[in-house]
Amino acid sequence: MDIVRAKRGDCKEISKLRRRAIIGSKKSEYSSCLLKSNSFEGIKEEFISSQVFSLVNNKKIIGNVSLVSNKIDGLYVHPKFFRRGIGRALLNYVELYVINKGINSLYLYSTKDSVGFYFKCGYKPINVAYSFNTIKPLVFIRMEKKLI
């Protein structure tokens, strides 16, 4: 398995992976919002402002993470590979990447279901944020990790 910088040509495969991860995680209250932002067009737009990395196994993308400056803007793992260390490997990679860029902390907005995972990886909850882009407001938890 290798972690590589994703290419624009990977957008379709990345979108498919993310959509499977969202549906596979059964986070129903977040699904419509997350599915919309992870469409093929949404991924293409992401490449303009983000650095996108993919974990590749046998020439297939099985995990993916986006980074905007010191913000993790999305971490996704194919459902067949849940709980196998893929998410942690992607986090570790991004953490080392930003340390080498002189950045000493990272933050992210977690769904309620993923807070435990990020907490185990050393991220601390900072505050609660709400998204009002849906009929029912969605709750996200801002989490942060000091790297140095």
Side-chain angles (χ1 to χ4, degrees), residues 90-145:
L90 285 163
L91 275 181
N92 289 340
Y93 183 88
V94 167
E95 290 169 3
L96 288 173
Y97 179 83
V98 299
I99 287 170
N100 288 329
K101 297 283 185 190
I103 297 171
N104 61 7
S105 68
L106 280 172
Y107 74 97
L108 55 88
Y109 289 93
S110 175
T111 60
K112 293 182 288 186
D113 298 327
S114 299
V115 168
F117 165 73
Y118 290 116
F119 190 78
K120 287 178 189 173
C121 293
Y123 288 78
K124 306 287 184 239
I126 303 299
N127 59 27
V128 176
Y130 298 91
S131 172
F132 296 98
N133 294 337
T134 57
I135 295 169
K136 177 183 172 190
L138 297 176
V139 177
F140 292 92
I141 296 81
R142 181 183 167 121
M143 302 184 77
E144 188 175 293
K145 182 176 182 179

Coordinates of all heavy atoms in Angstrom, one line a residue, residues 90-145:
L90 N -3.5 7.5 6.8 CA -3.7 8.7 6.1 C -3.5 9.9 7.0 O -2.8 10.9 6.6 CB -5.1 8.8 5.5 CG -5.3 7.9 4.2 CD1 -6.7 7.7 3.9 CD2 -4.5 8.5 3.0
L91 N -4.0 9.9 8.3 CA -3.7 11.0 9.2 C -2.3 11.1 9.5 O -1.7 12.3 9.5 CB -4.5 10.7 10.5 CG -5.9 11.1 10.6 CD1 -6.5 10.8 12.0 CD2 -6.1 12.6 10.3
N92 N -1.6 10.0 9.8 CA -0.1 10.1 10.1 C 0.6 10.7 8.9 O 1.5 11.5 9.1 CB 0.4 8.7 10.4 CG -0.1 8.1 11.7 OD1 -0.5 8.9 12.6 ND2 0.0 6.8 11.8
Y93 N 0.3 10.3 7.7 CA 0.9 10.9 6.5 C 0.7 12.4 6.4 O 1.7 13.1 6.2 CB 0.4 10.2 5.2 CG 1.0 10.6 4.0 CD1 2.2 10.0 3.5 CD2 0.6 11.7 3.2 CE1 2.8 10.4 2.4 CE2 1.2 12.1 2.1 CZ 2.3 11.5 1.7 OH 3.0 11.9 0.5
V94 N -0.5 12.8 6.6 CA -0.8 14.3 6.5 C -0.1 15.0 7.6 O 0.4 16.1 7.4 CB -2.3 14.5 6.5 CG1 -2.7 16.0 6.7 CG2 -2.9 14.0 5.2
E95 N -0.1 14.5 8.8 CA 0.6 15.1 9.9 C 2.1 15.3 9.6 O 2.6 16.4 9.8 CB 0.4 14.3 11.2 CG -1.0 14.4 11.7 CD -1.4 13.4 12.8 OE1 -0.4 12.7 13.3 OE2 -2.5 13.4 13.2
L96 N 2.8 14.3 9.1 CA 4.2 14.4 8.8 C 4.4 15.4 7.6 O 5.3 16.2 7.6 CB 4.8 13.1 8.4 CG 5.0 12.1 9.5 CD1 5.4 10.7 9.0 CD2 6.0 12.7 10.5
Y97 N 3.4 15.4 6.7 CA 3.5 16.3 5.5 C 3.5 17.8 6.0 O 4.3 18.6 5.6 CB 2.3 16.0 4.6 CG 2.3 16.9 3.4 CD1 3.0 16.6 2.2 CD2 1.4 18.0 3.3 CE1 3.0 17.4 1.1 CE2 1.4 18.8 2.2 CZ 2.2 18.5 1.1 OH 2.1 19.4 0.0
V98 N 2.5 18.1 6.9 CA 2.4 19.5 7.3 C 3.6 19.9 8.2 O 4.0 21.0 8.2 CB 1.0 19.8 7.9 CG1 -0.1 19.6 6.9 CG2 0.8 19.1 9.2
I99 N 4.0 19.0 9.0 CA 5.2 19.3 9.9 C 6.4 19.6 9.0 O 7.1 20.6 9.2 CB 5.6 18.1 10.8 CG1 4.6 17.9 11.9 CG2 7.0 18.2 11.3 CD1 4.7 16.6 12.7
N100 N 6.6 18.9 7.9 CA 7.7 19.2 6.9 C 7.5 20.6 6.2 O 8.4 21.1 5.7 CB 7.8 18.1 5.9 CG 8.5 16.9 6.5 OD1 9.2 17.0 7.5 ND2 8.1 15.7 6.0
K101 N 6.2 21.1 6.2 CA 5.9 22.4 5.6 C 6.0 23.5 6.7 O 5.7 24.6 6.4 CB 4.5 22.4 5.0 CG 4.3 21.4 3.9 CD 5.0 22.0 2.6 CE 4.7 21.1 1.4 NZ 5.4 21.5 0.3
G102 N 6.3 23.1 7.9 CA 6.5 24.1 9.0 C 5.2 24.4 9.7 O 5.1 25.4 10.5
I103 N 4.2 23.6 9.5 CA 2.9 23.8 10.2 C 2.9 22.9 11.5 O 3.3 21.8 11.5 CB 1.7 23.4 9.3 CG1 1.7 24.3 8.1 CG2 0.4 23.4 10.0 CD1 0.7 23.9 7.0
N104 N 2.5 23.5 12.6 CA 2.6 22.8 13.9 C 1.3 22.3 14.5 O 1.2 21.8 15.6 CB 3.4 23.6 14.9 CG 2.7 24.9 15.3 OD1 1.6 25.2 14.8 ND2 3.4 25.7 16.0
S105 N 0.2 22.5 13.8 CA -1.1 22.0 14.3 C -2.1 21.7 13.1 O -1.9 22.3 12.1 CB -1.8 22.9 15.3 OG -2.2 24.1 14.7
L106 N -3.0 20.9 13.3 CA -4.0 20.6 12.3 C -5.4 20.6 13.0 O -5.5 20.4 14.2 CB -3.9 19.1 11.8 CG -2.9 18.9 10.7 CD1 -2.7 17.4 10.4 CD2 -3.2 19.6 9.4
Y107 N -6.4 21.0 12.3 CA -7.8 20.9 12.8 C -8.7 20.3 11.7 O -8.3 20.2 10.6 CB -8.3 22.3 13.3 CG -8.6 23.3 12.2 CD1 -10.0 23.4 11.8 CD2 -7.7 24.0 11.5 CE1 -10.3 24.3 10.8 CE2 -8.0 24.9 10.5 CZ -9.3 25.1 10.2 OH -9.7 26.0 9.2
L108 N -9.9 19.9 12.2 CA -10.9 19.3 11.3 C -12.2 19.5 11.9 O -12.3 19.9 13.1 CB -10.6 17.8 11.1 CG -10.4 17.0 12.3 CD1 -11.7 16.4 12.8 CD2 -9.4 15.9 12.1
Y109 N -13.3 19.2 11.2 CA -14.6 19.2 11.7 C -15.1 17.8 11.5 O -15.3 17.3 10.4 CB -15.5 20.2 10.9 CG -15.2 21.6 11.2 CD1 -14.3 22.4 10.5 CD2 -15.8 22.2 12.3 CE1 -14.0 23.7 10.8 CE2 -15.5 23.6 12.7 CZ -14.6 24.3 11.9 OH -14.3 25.6 12.2
S110 N -15.4 17.1 12.6 CA -15.8 15.7 12.7 C -17.3 15.6 12.8 O -17.9 16.4 13.4 CB -15.1 15.1 13.9 OG -15.6 13.7 14.0
T111 N -17.8 14.5 12.1 CA -19.2 14.1 12.4 C -19.2 13.5 13.8 O -18.2 13.1 14.4 CB -19.7 13.1 11.4 OG1 -18.8 11.9 11.5 CG2 -19.7 13.6 10.0
K112 N -20.4 13.5 14.4 CA -20.5 13.0 15.8 C -20.0 11.5 15.9 O -19.3 11.1 16.8 CB -21.9 13.0 16.3 CG -22.5 14.4 16.5 CD -23.9 14.5 17.0 CE -24.9 14.0 15.9 NZ -26.3 14.2 16.3
D113 N -20.2 10.8 14.8 CA -19.8 9.4 14.8 C -18.3 9.1 14.7 O -17.8 8.1 15.1 CB -20.5 8.6 13.6 CG -22.0 8.7 13.7 OD1 -22.5 8.6 14.8 OD2 -22.6 8.7 12.6
S114 N -17.6 10.1 14.3 CA -16.1 9.9 14.1 C -15.3 10.6 15.2 O -14.1 10.4 15.1 CB -15.7 10.5 12.7 OG -16.4 9.8 11.7
V115 N -15.9 11.2 16.1 CA -15.1 11.9 17.2 C -14.2 10.9 17.9 O -13.1 11.2 18.2 CB -16.1 12.6 18.1 CG1 -15.4 13.1 19.4 CG2 -16.7 13.8 17.5
G116 N -14.7 9.7 18.2 CA -13.9 8.8 19.0 C -12.7 8.4 18.2 O -11.6 8.2 18.8
F117 N -12.8 8.2 16.9 CA -11.6 7.8 16.1 C -10.6 8.9 16.2 O -9.4 8.7 16.4 CB -12.0 7.6 14.6 CG -10.9 7.6 13.7 CD1 -10.0 6.5 13.6 CD2 -10.7 8.7 12.8 CE1 -8.9 6.5 12.8 CE2 -9.6 8.7 12.0 CZ -8.7 7.6 11.9
Y118 N -11.0 10.2 15.9 CA -10.0 11.3 15.9 C -9.4 11.5 17.3 O -8.3 11.8 17.5 CB -10.7 12.6 15.4 CG -11.0 12.5 13.9 CD1 -12.3 12.5 13.5 CD2 -10.0 12.4 13.0 CE1 -12.6 12.5 12.1 CE2 -10.2 12.4 11.6 CZ -11.5 12.4 11.2 OH -11.8 12.4 9.9
F119 N -10.3 11.3 18.4 CA -9.8 11.4 19.7 C -8.6 10.4 20.0 O -7.6 10.7 20.6 CB -10.9 11.2 20.7 CG -10.5 11.6 22.1 CD1 -10.5 12.9 22.5 CD2 -10.3 10.6 23.1 CE1 -10.1 13.3 23.8 CE2 -9.9 10.9 24.4 CZ -9.8 12.2 24.7
K120 N -8.8 9.2 19.5 CA -7.8 8.1 19.7 C -6.5 8.5 19.0 O -5.5 8.0 19.3 CB -8.3 6.8 19.2 CG -9.3 6.1 20.1 CD -9.8 4.8 19.5 CE -11.0 4.3 20.3 NZ -11.6 3.1 19.7
C121 N -6.7 9.3 17.9 CA -5.5 9.7 17.1 C -4.9 11.0 17.6 O -4.0 11.5 17.0 CB -5.9 9.9 15.6 SG -6.4 8.3 14.8
G122 N -5.4 11.4 18.8 CA -4.7 12.6 19.4 C -5.4 13.9 19.2 O -4.9 15.0 19.6
Y123 N -6.5 14.0 18.5 CA -7.3 15.2 18.3 C -8.2 15.5 19.5 O -8.8 14.6 20.0 CB -8.1 15.1 17.0 CG -7.1 15.2 15.8 CD1 -6.4 14.0 15.4 CD2 -6.9 16.3 15.1 CE1 -5.6 14.1 14.3 CE2 -6.1 16.4 14.0 CZ -5.4 15.2 13.6 OH -4.5 15.3 12.6
K124 N -8.2 16.8 19.9 CA -9.0 17.2 21.0 C -10.2 18.0 20.5 O -10.0 18.9 19.7 CB -8.2 18.0 22.0 CG -6.9 17.4 22.4 CD -7.2 16.3 23.4 CE -5.9 15.7 23.9 NZ -5.7 14.3 23.7
P125 N -11.4 17.8 21.1 CA -12.5 18.6 20.7 C -12.3 20.1 21.2 O -11.9 20.3 22.3 CB -13.7 17.9 21.4 CG -13.1 16.9 22.3 CD -11.7 16.7 22.1
I126 N -12.7 21.0 20.4 CA -12.5 22.4 20.7 C -13.9 23.1 20.9 O -14.1 23.8 21.9 CB -11.7 23.2 19.6 CG1 -10.3 22.5 19.3 CG2 -11.6 24.7 19.9 CD1 -9.4 22.5 20.5
N127 N -14.8 22.9 19.9 CA -16.1 23.5 20.0 C -17.0 22.8 19.0 O -16.6 21.9 18.3 CB -16.1 25.0 19.8 CG -15.5 25.4 18.5 OD1 -15.6 24.7 17.5 ND2 -15.0 26.6 18.4
V128 N -18.3 23.2 19.1 CA -19.3 22.6 18.2 C -19.6 23.6 17.1 O -19.7 24.8 17.4 CB -20.6 22.2 19.0 CG1 -21.7 21.7 18.1 CG2 -20.2 21.2 20.0
A129 N -19.8 23.1 15.9 CA -20.2 24.0 14.8 C -21.5 23.4 14.1 O -21.7 22.2 14.2 CB -19.1 24.1 13.8
Y130 N -22.2 24.2 13.5 CA -23.5 23.8 12.9 C -23.4 24.1 11.4 O -22.9 25.2 11.0 CB -24.7 24.4 13.5 CG -24.8 24.1 15.0 CD1 -24.2 24.9 16.0 CD2 -25.5 22.9 15.4 CE1 -24.3 24.5 17.3 CE2 -25.6 22.6 16.7 CZ -25.0 23.4 17.7 OH -25.1 23.0 19.0
S131 N -24.0 23.3 10.6 CA -24.2 23.5 9.2 C -25.7 23.7 8.9 O -26.4 22.8 9.3 CB -23.6 22.4 8.3 OG -24.0 22.6 7.0
F132 N -26.1 24.8 8.3 CA -27.5 25.0 8.1 C -27.8 24.8 6.6 O -28.8 25.4 6.1 CB -27.9 26.4 8.6 CG -27.7 26.5 10.1 CD1 -26.6 27.1 10.6 CD2 -28.7 26.0 10.9 CE1 -26.4 27.2 12.0 CE2 -28.6 26.1 12.3 CZ -27.4 26.7 12.8
N133 N -27.0 24.1 5.9 CA -27.2 23.8 4.4 C -28.3 22.8 4.2 O -28.5 22.4 3.0 CB -25.9 23.5 3.7 CG -24.9 24.6 3.8 OD1 -25.3 25.8 3.9 ND2 -23.7 24.3 3.6
T134 N -28.9 22.2 5.2 CA -29.9 21.2 5.1 C -31.1 21.6 5.8 O -31.1 22.6 6.6 CB -29.3 19.8 5.7 OG1 -28.9 20.0 7.0 CG2 -28.1 19.3 4.9
I135 N -32.2 20.8 5.7 CA -33.4 21.1 6.4 C -33.2 21.1 7.9 O -33.6 22.0 8.6 CB -34.5 20.1 6.0 CG1 -34.8 20.2 4.5 CG2 -35.8 20.2 6.8 CD1 -35.7 19.1 3.9
K136 N -32.5 20.1 8.4 CA -32.2 20.0 9.8 C -30.7 20.4 10.0 O -29.9 19.9 9.3 CB -32.4 18.6 10.3 CG -32.1 18.3 11.7 CD -32.3 16.8 12.0 CE -31.8 16.5 13.4 NZ -31.8 15.1 13.7
P137 N -30.4 21.3 10.9 CA -29.0 21.7 11.1 C -28.2 20.4 11.5 O -28.6 19.6 12.2 CB -29.1 22.6 12.3 CG -30.5 23.1 12.4 CD -31.3 22.0 11.8
L138 N -27.0 20.4 10.9 CA -26.0 19.3 11.2 C -25.0 19.7 12.2 O -24.5 20.9 12.2 CB -25.4 18.8 9.9 CG -26.3 18.2 8.9 CD1 -25.5 17.9 7.6 CD2 -27.0 17.0 9.4
V139 N -24.6 18.9 13.1 CA -23.6 19.2 14.1 C -22.3 18.6 13.7 O -22.2 17.4 13.4 CB -24.1 18.5 15.5 CG1 -23.0 18.8 16.6 CG2 -25.4 19.1 15.9
F140 N -21.3 19.4 13.8 CA -19.9 19.0 13.5 C -19.1 19.5 14.7 O -19.3 20.5 15.3 CB -19.3 19.7 12.3 CG -20.0 19.2 11.0 CD1 -21.1 19.8 10.5 CD2 -19.5 18.0 10.4 CE1 -21.7 19.4 9.3 CE2 -20.1 17.6 9.2 CZ -21.2 18.2 8.7
I141 N -18.1 18.7 15.1 CA -17.2 19.0 16.2 C -15.9 19.4 15.7 O -15.2 18.6 15.0 CB -17.1 17.8 17.2 CG1 -18.4 17.5 17.8 CG2 -16.1 18.1 18.3 CD1 -19.4 16.7 17.0
R142 N -15.5 20.6 16.0 CA -14.1 21.1 15.6 C -13.1 20.4 16.6 O -13.3 20.5 17.8 CB -14.0 22.6 15.7 CG -12.6 23.1 15.3 CD -12.4 24.6 15.4 NE -11.1 24.9 15.3 CZ -10.6 25.7 14.4 NH1 -11.4 26.3 13.5 NH2 -9.3 26.0 14.3
M143 N -12.1 19.8 16.0 CA -11.1 19.1 16.7 C -9.7 19.6 16.3 O -9.6 19.9 15.1 CB -11.2 17.6 16.6 CG -12.6 17.1 17.0 SD -12.7 15.3 17.0 CE -11.8 14.8 18.4
E144 N -8.8 19.6 17.2 CA -7.4 20.1 16.8 C -6.4 19.2 17.5 O -6.6 18.6 18.5 CB -7.3 21.5 17.4 CG -6.1 22.2 17.0 CD -6.1 23.7 17.5 OE1 -7.0 24.4 17.0 OE2 -5.3 24.0 18.4
K145 N -5.2 19.2 16.8 CA -4.1 18.4 17.3 C -2.8 19.3 17.2 O -2.5 19.8 16.1 CB -3.9 17.1 16.6 CG -2.7 16.2 17.1 CD -2.7 14.9 16.4 CE -1.6 14.0 17.0 NZ -1.5 12.7 16.3

